Amino acid sequence: MWKLKIAEGVDGPYLYSTNNYVGRQTWEFDPDAGTPEERAQVEEARQNFYRNRRKVKPCSDLLWRMQILREKNFKQTIPPVTIEDGEQISYEKATKALRRAVNFFSALQASDGHWPAENAGPLFFLPPLVFTLYITGHLNTVFPAEHRKEILRYIYNHQNEDGGWGLHIEGPSIMFCTTLSYICMRILGEGPDGGLDNACARGRKWILDHGSVTHIASWGKTWLSILGIFDWSGCNPMPPEFWILPSFFPLHPAKMCCYSRTVYMPMSYLYGKRFVGPITPLIQQLREELYLQPYNEINWRKVRHSCAPEDLYYPHPLIQDVMWDSLYILAEPFLTRWPLNKLIREKALQVAMKHIHYEDENSRYITMGCVEKALCMLACWVEDPNGDYFKRHLARIPDYIWVAEDGMTVQSFGSQEWDAGFAIQALLASSLVDEIGPVLKRANDFIKNSQVKDNPSGDFKKMYRHISKGSWTFSDQDHGWQVSDCTAEGLKCCLLMSTLPQEIVGEKLEPERLYDAVNVVLSLQSKNGGLSAWEPAGASRWLEMLNPTEMFEDIVIEDEYVECTSSAIQALILFKKFYPEHRKEEIEKFIANAVHYLENVQMPDGSWYGCWAVCFTYGSWFALGGLAAAGKTYNNCLAMRKGVEFLLKTQRENGGWGESYKSCSEKKYVPLEEGRSNLVHTAWAMMGLIHARQEERDPTPLHRAAKLIINSQMEDGDFPQQEITGVFNKNCMLHYATYRNICPLWALAEYRKRAPLP
């Protein structure tokens, strides 16, 4: 059986931690573990997922939940609550439902204080790691038989009915992910017509029916070139010389959003090397299987700009194609030949590798995310197959792996700290502190132990990095990358915990460390008042025209976000109550500008676009929370009134809210089909309305929503898994497995406190 190990690791030459591995979560397979009944329970969960995979596509994280609930011998002792039609919700029933949710969710807490959960869903996360291990010869060592079995299970479970795979588990089929999944199956041992339900044959048919892999998106062209299934001459240039341009140059990588910068950094190195992995018999077979014409007859120059319409979310503007063509025709022929290949290219490759090593070291070889992880690991192997850099990368692969009833996948980079921040606030809102003291103490310890203590090493500004001391990351301290809203939510948690008796929750965070967090938050505000996520925004907007991906939008430069801005407002207003004189004028100016930003970016229909979850419901919850914290009310703020009107008009007949993930990509509100509601969306909308004091005007919408949440609660206090809820880059969805517990619990807690209940 599979078992999740928490906060485990031993420092050595290839593995090390800044905080004794707090927050680390790694899966291990033990062939002798588990009773026959426990194994049967796991197998039943797998079969149930497979049977229902077309209805509910995200996993319910049952393997981890079975493990932790079994270890804690959890039994729900509070009987279920039902609200009948026409019945008024009483304070007693609301309290019972809330306590059931709190009891269940508290039992899911790990020993180090966080709530482990899957944070995955995109179908391009997993295959590149398999490709890298295949190329480097470490596949069977890192992924033994049981790992490979679960990887294949995941691929089979998320194949669409038409034979292809989507950009994410709920998306329609695209060439990029269908090709990656097909190659992954073949590398893992399936034949051309193998796989469950003829997965390989169906996948290959989809590829060939849609023009073959000559039409794959640019990231796909890169990976296929690395594998030797495509030719580098069919790719648009990614010259490493960008890394040696003067920093004032408009296209310098320092001006890129850090996520894109750290992706194209190793890509440019591999492109500059024109690296191609071993041409094995399997690679030769794939050259025959994936094209409509013989491999040696393909005109690679002509396919550089080819992209299947299914992959094309962000079409390249003409200026970008002109730039790529100019580099391809005028620059690359000279940079790859003597003497410029010695004078310039080798220098550029050295500088790119210097940045790769720097980012690796400052993330303890986790890297910024899973896309970067496979690329940076491969670049280190290309530089030195037997070097320590590559071995350190191998040691951190387990940090990315997640196993659930739908199989094994690769996570974004984990959401441990983000989830814990929400979880703590939800539990504190329940006002059940006396019942969950040990849970809160562990959570408080986790948050304190996870704060980043130092800036990146050395002259970090020269390496295009921002301050990180005092921040919280999205995942764990070892990851090292500051995030504005994670920092704000962490700061809020520490301040809220400081109001509780130390004998219950432990010692509060020292003021100096709170000041460090404030420094990070203040440093990330833009001139328009909004907050960026990782680094200060400021690059020219026109650079987005050079977005080289076809599948994502707004990835070239750092931008401002409603969610980050709102989190910062709430955190700093709370901070002011405890430390009113600390950077007083700066904080007051910050809040005023941030409020103006929220008011200015409101949509005409009264909603706010949410960039990190679905979508207008999520953004409106955050925006209304930020405005309310700043003293704005329904009566004194037009933006609040319009936000409330938006939420009220989108409430469904059953009392809930349900928004399609398509809202994110289409940038307009799209409801779920068939009048469905989603409990997480319902919770967000409820809390948004409560921020705007809806209970003082007409509590009926809140009562209707609370009834849906209470009646949807399961026998053990859990809530059912429904549609995927997270998103990034406008077009790619992300599964936050704990949201289905945290958000309904939080909404019930706020409802119980604020709504008039008999």
Side-chain angles (χ1 to χ4, degrees):
M1 285 181 64
W2 289 95
K3 182 177 181 179
L4 186 64
K5 300 164 67 177
I6 301 297
E8 291 194 17
V10 178
D11 283 358
Y14 308 125
L15 183 66
Y16 52 96
S17 173
T18 57
N19 67 342
N20 202 27
Y21 302 98
V22 170
R24 192 178 193 223
Q25 41 193 30
T26 55
W27 286 91
E28 181 181 81
F29 182 76
D30 183 351
D32 300 320
T35 66
E37 292 77 14
E38 290 166 354
R39 294 186 184 196
Q41 187 183 22
V42 169
E43 192 56 36
E44 182 182 2
R46 290 167 172 161
Q47 292 302 318
N48 283 340
F49 183 88
Y50 179 77
R51 285 192 293 268
N52 295 294
R53 68 193 188 283
R54 306 291 182 212
K55 299 176 183 177
V56 181
K57 298 187 177 182
C59 75
S60 296
D61 245 354
L62 293 182
L63 269 63
W64 156 245
R65 292 178 177 222
M66 289 175 182
Q67 173 189 326
I68 189 66
L69 296 177
R70 184 168 61 245
E71 290 174 356
K72 295 188 177 182
N73 195 28
F74 172 78
K75 296 289 188 295
Q76 180 62 264
T77 57
I78 305 170
V81 177
T82 301
I83 308 298
E84 303 294 342
D85 288 345
E87 179 184 359
Q88 189 174 3
I89 300 174
S90 67
Y91 184 84
E92 179 185 2
K93 283 199 170 184
T95 300
K96 281 186 177 180
L98 176 60
R99 287 184 65 218
R100 296 179 80 246
V102 168
N103 285 357
F104 180 83
F105 186 61
S106 296
L108 298 180
Q109 187 185 38
S111 57
D112 68 351
H114 86 282
W115 279 264
E118 178 179 303
N119 187 247
L123 294 175
F124 58 91
F125 280 4
L126 171 64
L129 183 58
V130 173
F131 299 166
T132 294
L133 293 173
Y134 175 75
I135 290 168
T136 60
H138 288 75
L139 180 62
N140 293 341
T141 304
V142 176
F143 289 153
E146 284 296 329
H147 289 69
R148 299 196 297 273
K149 176 181 175 182
E150 292 304 318
I151 291 171
L152 286 169
R153 186 193 307 278
Y154 188 85
I155 294 172
Y156 300 150
N157 273 325
H158 296 292
Q159 187 174 24
N160 289 331
E161 290 185 81
D162 64 5
W165 284 263
L167 185 64
H168 52 85
I169 57 176
E170 291 194 5
S173 299
I174 67 170
M175 182 67 73
F176 178 52
C177 289
T178 301
T179 302
L180 297 192
S181 297
Y182 178 83
I183 295 171
C184 194
M185 289 189 295
R186 296 286 281 116
I187 286 175
L188 293 173
E190 295 291 6
D193 299 316
L196 184 66
D197 297 329
N198 298 314
C200 288
R202 292 167 57 224
R204 186 174 65 257
K205 184 178 186 302
W206 192 98
I207 292 168
L208 297 178
D209 285 349
H210 291 79
S212 88
V213 297
T214 56
H215 290 71
I216 197 169
S218 59
W219 282 13
K221 288 178 168 69
T222 298
W223 271 110
L224 267 61
S225 297
I226 290 168
L227 284 165
I229 306 171
F230 205 85
D231 193 278
W232 280 112
S233 62
C235 299
N236 280 322
M238 293 177 281
E241 284 73 21
F242 280 125
W243 291 95
I244 57 174
L245 291 172
S247 59
F248 61 79
F249 195 73
L251 300 181
H252 193 275
K255 294 178 171 60
M256 295 178 70
C257 170
C258 55
Y259 188 84
S260 295
R261 184 172 73 239
T262 53
V263 167
Y264 283 97
M265 179 174 64
M267 273 191 183
S268 70
Y269 178 84
L270 295 166
Y271 173 83
K273 286 276 191 179
R274 298 298 195 276
F275 170 77
V276 178
I279 305 301
T280 64
L282 174 60
I283 297 300
Q284 292 176 330
Q285 292 171 33
L286 289 168
R287 287 178 173 183
E288 296 177 3
E289 295 167 15
L290 295 173
Y291 293 95
L292 293 171
Q293 64 188 108
Y295 184 81
N296 59 4
E297 295 180 11
I298 297 170
N299 187 331
W300 298 107
R301 283 173 170 262
K302 287 188 175 181
V303 303
R304 282 189 303 113
H305 299 307
S306 297
C307 185
E310 293 80 7
D311 291 27
L312 193 60
Y313 175 67
Y314 182 82
H316 290 174
L318 178 61
I319 186 175
Q320 186 180 147
D321 287 341
V322 170
M323 186 185 78
W324 298 135
D325 290 345
S326 299
L327 288 170
Y328 187 88
I329 297 168
L330 302 176
E332 279 299 307
F334 295 99
L335 291 169
T336 54
R337 290 179 173 84
W338 188 90
L340 295 185
N341 63 337
K342 295 294 183 183
L343 296 174
I344 297 178
R345 174 126 306 177
E346 286 193 8
K347 172 65 175 177
L349 290 169
Q350 291 170 9
V351 172
M353 184 51 75
K354 179 182 177 182
H355 281 273
I356 291 170
H357 290 323
Y358 183 84
E359 297 298 345
D360 287 349
E361 290 286 342
N362 280 280
S363 65
R364 274 51 63 184
Y365 288 81
I366 296 171
T367 73
M368 190 169 190
C370 63
V371 175
E372 296 90 336
K373 173 67 176 177
L375 289 162
C376 288
M377 182 164 60
L378 181 58
C380 288
W381 183 83
V382 171
E383 182 192 39
D384 183 357
N386 299 308
D388 287 350
Y389 297 124
F390 176 66
K391 292 174 183 176
R392 290 170 188 153
H393 266 294
L394 290 175
R396 280 295 190 172
I397 289 175
D399 295 67
Y400 276 99
I401 302 303
W402 192 263
V403 186
E405 67 271 20
D406 61 341
M408 177 182 288
T409 190
V410 164
Q411 301 209 88
S412 61
F413 44 93
S415 55
Q416 297 96 304
E417 291 185 26
W418 178 252
D419 290 345
F422 271 13
I424 289 169
Q425 293 175 75
L427 291 172
L428 290 176
S430 74
S431 303
L432 300 173
V433 173
D434 292 340
E435 299 180 25
I436 55 172
V439 174
L440 293 175
K441 185 179 187 306
R442 286 191 294 269
N444 191 28
D445 288 342
F446 173 75
I447 289 291
K448 292 187 297 182
N449 290 333
S450 298
Q451 187 183 25
V452 176
K453 305 289 181 59
D454 299 295
N455 289 320
S457 61
D459 187 356
F460 60 89
K461 292 184 179 179
K462 187 177 180 181
M463 303 305 285
Y464 321 128
R465 289 292 298 268
H466 189 57
I467 61 171
S468 58
K469 182 181 180 181
S471 70
W472 277 270
T473 74
F474 188 64
S475 53
D476 59 18
Q477 189 187 98
D478 281 342
H479 182 256
W481 271 93
Q482 71 285 344
V483 190
S484 62
D485 53 357
C486 297
T487 301
E489 299 299 332
L491 177 59
K492 285 163 64 178
C493 288
C494 291
L495 292 168
L496 292 169
M497 285 289 194
S498 72
T499 66
L500 301 176
Q502 290 192 21
E503 57 268 22
I504 295 178
V505 300
E507 295 182 2
K508 59 185 180 182
L509 198 68
E510 301 90 335
E512 291 75 16
R513 290 175 62 184
L514 298 174
Y515 299 161
D516 289 340
V518 170
N519 291 343
V520 173
V521 172
L522 293 178
S523 74
L524 291 170
Q525 188 174 44
S526 300
K527 291 180 180 179
N528 63 8
L531 248 75
S532 52
W534 296 283
E535 297 172 332
S540 300
R541 190 76 213 166
W542 65 265
L543 288 171
E544 280 297 341
M545 295 178 64
L546 304 181
N547 174 3
T549 71
E550 300 86 353
M551 302 172 294
F552 309 114
E553 188 175 351
D554 291 345
I555 72 160
V556 175
I557 64 171
E558 182 65 277
D559 213 338
E560 297 83 20
Y561 302 97
V562 166
E563 301 96 309
C564 299
T565 307
S566 173
S567 287
I569 292 172
Q570 295 176 57
L572 290 179
I573 286 174
L574 186 60
F575 176 81
K576 278 179 59 181
K577 293 179 181 178
F578 292 88
Y579 303 94
E581 298 304 316
H582 182 77
R583 301 184 71 172
K584 180 179 179 180
E585 293 183 4
E586 292 172 81
I587 290 175
E588 289 178 351
K589 182 179 179 181
F590 178 104
I591 292 169
N593 290 337
V595 168
H596 287 314
Y597 171 81
L598 292 181
E599 293 174 331
N600 290 338
V601 298
Q602 188 175 29
M603 306 293 285
D605 67 357
S607 67
W608 283 267
Y609 185 91
C611 289
W612 302 111
V614 179
C615 170
F616 296 99
T617 311
Y618 185 73
S620 298
W621 166 43
F622 266 90
L624 290 169
L627 292 173
K632 301 294 183 179
T633 68
Y634 185 87
N635 293 325
N636 69 17
C637 178
L638 177 61
M640 291 284 278
R641 292 195 294 276
K642 291 173 63 179
V644 168
E645 290 167 8
F646 166 76
L647 290 175
L648 292 178
K649 75 183 179 185
T650 52
Q651 190 172 24
R652 316 308 291 266
E653 288 187 15
N654 65 0
W657 278 261
E659 184 175 0
S660 169
Y661 77 84
K662 295 177 183 176
S663 291
C664 304
S665 56
E666 297 183 17
K667 302 173 196 171
K668 64 179 182 180
Y669 182 83
V670 180
L672 284 174
E673 298 174 349
E674 301 170 357
R676 299 196 311 275
S677 289
N678 181 291
L679 297 177
V680 175
H681 301 168
T682 300
W684 294 339
M686 277 183 73
M687 290 189 283
L689 290 173
I690 289 171
H691 283 313
R693 301 282 182 178
Q694 180 64 32
E695 72 280 359
E696 297 176 358
R697 295 182 298 277
D698 175 14
T700 303
L702 300 176
H703 294 322
R704 293 175 60 215
K707 176 183 176 182
L708 176 67
I709 289 177
I710 291 171
N711 287 346
S712 299
Q713 194 173 34
M714 298 163 68
E715 189 75 21
D716 57 3
D718 195 1
F719 291 95
Q721 178 61 54
Q722 297 174 300
E723 296 85 2
I724 201 165
T725 52
V727 70
F728 63 94
N729 293 137
K730 302 286 195 296
N731 195 37
C732 195
M733 310 312 296
L734 195 59
H735 176 36
Y736 289 80
T738 60
Y739 275 11
R740 79 172 195 264
N741 298 104
I742 296 172
C743 299
L745 184 163
W746 199 350
L748 280 179
E750 297 292 351
Y751 169 77
R752 174 175 168 266
K753 282 195 299 185
R754 302 274 286 274
L757 300 175

